[in-house]
Amino acid sequence: MEKIVSLSKRRGFVFPSSEIYGGLGSSYDYGHYGVLLKNNIKNQWWRAMLQERDDVVALDSAIIQHPRTWEASGHLAGFTDPLIDCRTCKLRFRADHLEQSACGRKPSKHPGETPDCDLTESRDFNLMFETTVGPVKEEGSTVYLRPETAQGIFLNFKNYLQFSRKKPPFGIAQIGKSFRNEITTGNFIFRTREFEQMEMEFFVPPEEAPTWHQHWLEERMKWWTSLGLRPDHVRLRPHDANELSHYSSATSDVEYLFPIGWSELEGIANRGNFDLTQHAKFSGQKLEYVDTATGERYVPHVIEPAAGADRAMLAFLVDAYDEDQIEGEQRTVLRLHPILAPVKVAVLPLVRKDGQPELAAEVYRELRDHVQAEYDEGGAIGRRYRRQDEIGTPWAVTIDHQSLQDRTVTLRDRDSLAQVRVAIGELVDVIRGRLGEPWRSPKLN
Ligand code: GAP
């Protein structure tokens, strides 16, 4: 994990937030390559949800919603973690995470393990961030930053029945920020207080819920591995009955083998009719599907695949990180699926003279119309390759002396290091062709 954190900062993927003020725990800023990588992950999620299906539609709902939302959803009463304080070291811990926490005075021990530890009783702590709407803090002005994007989807269910001409089974997908005042954070961007979720609520006739749950378990596992996660590092783990959330009758987590051990990437829950029933009760609105042909009416059940975009990015970074040796020199390389790589192709003149930069700039301008490309002419060619390897760029185009004579360039492959000569006029097609090919992590070899 330390290597990932250091590469992320060095290469402009993720920076600790507010660093000039000493940092703010568990807050991160995404740099240029982090933005590109996370966007690519989110685009692939949209693609799988919207473009490749015709039964899911999109939504972008508000972060601050009517406070009754959280009464109805059960978050106000039940979205809590058990909290313990240590009167000696003044640190706070999650009562159910003591085994993973470190004592403030003796970090090699867990809280409660030293004679000096003086722990309070556990008490419930609500994870929602509270704020006020309007200039005066008065009764009725308290609102919350959403702790999940899902509720915005339930609030819009009625709108979607009316405008989208969809009937169950159909889904509403959303990507957006969620906020949780987590007690224990850490592990880089794995658990933060502000994060992005990619959630989809799939509304189905009640009797079809178990079949659709199975369908989404399979679809989502396929998605993670098709984007390159090594299959032996991803697994599905069904929740035990005592782990289930208050709304869920069955949940399985997609887990990834992070450096911290197997941990959740995505939860895929059967939420039954809990949310629509609760919002109908609290709002007084009918939230049900009525079949106008048969007169049949029911409250749909909901299958929810809910993933974290930041956690996804961490998993892809961890899975891609590799070190090898080239001509006796150590190289760090991100073996990202090309479709996720922040930059697809780097254009590098071999030397900064003899007309090479001019031809390279022409090639770059042609390529960037089609894919995210980068031009770099500064420094030794070996160092420029290393830099691109570290940000996971799958291909590098080098313009050399021969390029000026025959308008061909070398195309270098990040993983195999193979270099082939390609005519400049064919580069776009060659790169597009390679981007469309199935990809398998070389770390599996
Ligand atoms: N609507 C259901 C829901 O929110 P969840 O399991 O609490 O379920 C879904 O969250 C996903 O959101 C998780 O699998 C994880 O990837 C991500 N996530 C949750 N809390 C997070 C946090 N504090 N930091 C980063 N990602 C988080």
Side-chain angles (χ1 to χ4, degrees), residues 79 147-150 180 182 189-197 199 201 247 253 264-267 271 304 306-312:
F79 194 54
E148 61 171 13
T149 58
R180 296 182 188 175
E182 302 277 5
I189 51 173
F190 179 82
R191 192 186 309 282
T192 49
R193 298 200 171 94
E194 174 180 340
F195 54 97
E196 264 186 296
Q197 290 189 304
E199 298 200 289
E201 310 300 318
Y247 50 74
D253 285 345
E264 176 185 342
L265 259 186
E266 170 164 12
R271 294 180 78 122
E304 174 195 69
D310 312 86
R311 216 174 266 188

